[in-house]
Amino acid sequence: MVWHEYIDGSWAVLFSHPADFTPVCTTELGSVATFMPEFEKRGVKVAALSCNDSASHKAWIKDIEATDFAGSSKISYPIIADPGRDIAIAWGMLDPEEKDAAGLPMTCRAVFIVKPDKSLALSILYPATTGRNFSEVLRVIDSLQLTANFSVATPANWSSGKKCMVVPGLTDEEANAKFAKGFTKVEVPSGKGYIRLTEDPTAN
Ligand code: BEZ
């Protein structure tokens, strides 16, 4: 099955990896396995991509599942084989700073979050030497899903249950009609009243 069919109609996350049997990648794939219940709860289809073939991926999965980073979780999500780097090149994932033994640029740690309509909601490129924080990826998905479902934005360092913000596209009247608990305006020297806080609509 191709990735576009696999993700069809769902939120999706794609993680890319420089190569199989590399230390940081091994910890990341194990960590993602432990996060799968959280991704599934949010209706997110997860896939990884690494620039080796599927025989190599199958052998590598045994190592990944044997580390503490995976806990007792199995790799239940697909790892896309991209031995020729065709996908990595087409989707702008190559890191010119990191070269393999043959001197070819390796894939960086890209994170793509894709909306159900297949538009790209977020892309972050991490250097090969920095492992990703998957709690942050979940936090972004929570924020994106709140915006899609309830027309709220989320402030700096927000986490689920904390105060959200009325999106600038809504007038005060529209916001009052939309949010049962209303909103409060943060007082600022300009007096413009553009920072409007409201409860997390999914909080009890
Ligand atoms: C790693 O996954 O450990 C790694 C891969 C490529 C360059 C540096 C680190």
Side-chain angles (χ1 to χ4, degrees):
M1 184 190 284
V2 295
W3 185 66
H4 281 77
E5 288 169 9
Y6 169 66
I7 68 169
D8 201 30
S10 296
W11 290 85
V13 179
L14 180 68
F15 304 108
S16 68
H17 298 271
D20 294 1
F21 301 103
T22 48
V24 177
C25 298
T26 304
T27 65
E28 289 190 315
L29 285 156
S31 177
V32 170
T34 69
F35 274 80
M36 283 308 286
E38 294 300 322
F39 285 117
E40 281 158 9
K41 220 192 287 178
R42 292 161 176 79
V44 179
K45 291 279 184 72
V46 173
L49 176 147
S50 185
C51 293
N52 296 94
D53 61 26
S54 53
S56 169
H57 290 350
K58 280 185 189 144
W60 186 31
I61 284 170
K62 292 186 186 141
D63 285 3
I64 298 164
E65 289 177 346
T67 68
D68 287 345
F69 290 92
S72 54
S73 304
K74 299 282 173 208
I75 303 300
S76 59
Y77 55 89
I79 305 177
I80 299 169
D82 189 23
R85 304 177 195 209
D86 306 299
I87 302 170
I89 292 166
W91 291 359
M93 295 168 164
L94 290 190
D95 181 346
E97 298 286 319
E98 286 293 340
K99 305 258 172 53
D100 66 10
L104 294 170
M106 297 176 85
T107 310
C108 61
R109 299 185 193 288
V111 181
F112 292 160
I113 300 179
V114 176
K115 295 187 193 179
D117 66 2
K118 295 199 178 77
S119 62
L120 183 66
L122 167 138
S123 77
I124 316 179
L125 302 181
Y126 290 75
T129 45
T130 304
R132 285 161 280 199
N133 181 331
F134 297 101
S135 299
E136 169 61 4
V137 176
L138 276 184
R139 192 191 74 91
V140 174
I141 290 166
D142 284 343
S143 170
L144 287 166
Q145 293 188 340
L146 277 182
T147 304
N149 297 328
F150 300 101
S151 306
V152 291
T154 58
N157 302 323
W158 173 87
S159 59
S160 190
K162 288 193 180 163
K163 285 229 162 106
C164 296
M165 312 183 92
V166 177
V167 290
L170 287 183
T171 63
D172 285 354
E173 292 69 34
E174 287 166 337
N176 271 321
K178 202 167 178 69
F179 302 118
K181 292 185 183 157
F183 61 87
T184 54
K185 289 187 180 176
V186 176
E187 300 220 359
V188 282
S190 70
K192 289 187 189 289
Y194 59 98
I195 305 174
R196 299 175 294 176
L197 299 177
T198 187
E199 300 297 324
D200 178 337
T202 61
N204 295 321

